Amino acid sequence: MTTIGKSMQEAMNEQINKEFFSSYLYLSMAAYFEDKNLMGFAHWMRLQADEEREHAMKFYNFILDRGGRVLLKAIDAPETAWKSNLEVTEQVAEHEAKVTASINALYELALQEKDYPAQAMLQWFITEQVEEEKNAAELVAKLRLIEERGTAVLMLDHRLSKRSGEEEGDDEE
Ligand SMILES: [Fe+2]
Ligand SMILES: [Fe+2]
């Protein structure tokens, strides 16, 4: 039996695409850093890309659990080059702000449709986006502080290499 509404199903299919695009974008950023031999930055971006794929799968599973239909769409090609490390992190921050807006719009739809399971599920994403925006803002702030001074960039690179893949309490230290 299908318990998910048509417009919610469509909006969530759209969100699956956005999460996969995020994953693709961060993987492209990882490749960029790898090319610059900044392996810590690359490691951080790879984990970020993995997380975005997990986000996509949460929507995928949610649609299926409610007897809906998953319809995958083409993923846009991400950018492949940036002017500086700072520019990469600024784009992460901008991108996460867009994703937050789209999660909020989904929640708005869930309220309108009185779709309580979707509301409960989306709570997780609302909390996650606070974390995502915080992490991106921290990276931007650090890079603004150190600018592109080689030694400082390498120290940050070392720090980012310590990020663990755990869902909870990940990141830094
Ligand atoms: Fe995400
Ligand atoms: Fe994200």
Side-chain angles (χ1 to χ4, degrees), residues 3 7 12 21 26 65 73 97 99 105 107 132-133 142 150-152:
T3 60
S7 48
M12 286 196 170
F21 175 75
Y26 296 152
D65 285 350
K73 301 163 204 294
V99 173
Y107 194 76
E132 295 272 82
E133 292 206 58
K142 277 178 192 147
T151 316

Side-chain angles (χ1 to χ4, degrees), residues 101-171:
S102 120
I103 295 290
N104 290 347
L106 274 176
Y107 194 76
E108 197 56 50
L109 180 65
L111 290 176
Q112 277 169 28
E113 307 231 309
K114 297 193 172 23
D115 186 336
Y116 302 113
Q119 287 173 31
M121 181 264 195
L122 288 164
Q123 297 276 348
W124 184 89
F125 279 94
I126 291 168
T127 309
E128 172 71 8
Q129 281 312 114
V130 173
E131 191 65 25
E132 295 272 82
E133 292 206 58
K134 187 194 91 176
N135 291 342
E138 257 179 44
L139 262 190
V140 170
K142 277 178 192 147
L143 277 165
R144 285 209 178 120
L145 207 64
I146 66 179
E147 291 167 333
E148 302 290 329
R149 281 193 290 272
T151 316
V153 171
L154 283 178
M155 282 172 69
L156 180 56
D157 187 60
H158 180 71
R159 205 163 157 208
L160 294 177
S161 74
K162 303 289 183 218
R163 176 178 176 175
S164 81
E166 309 271 304
E167 272 267 306
E168 298 300 319
D170 60 354
D171 258 42

Side-chain angles (χ1 to χ4, degrees), residues 79-90:
E79 281 168 56
T80 52
W82 291 268
K83 283 199 209 80
S84 62
N85 303 323
L86 174 62
E87 200 190 52
V88 178
T89 59
E90 282 172 341

Side-chain angles (χ1 to χ4, degrees), residues 26 48 52 55 96 129 132:
Y26 296 152
Q48 197 61 32
E52 300 301 350
H55 294 169
E96 287 300 331
Q129 281 312 114
E132 295 272 82

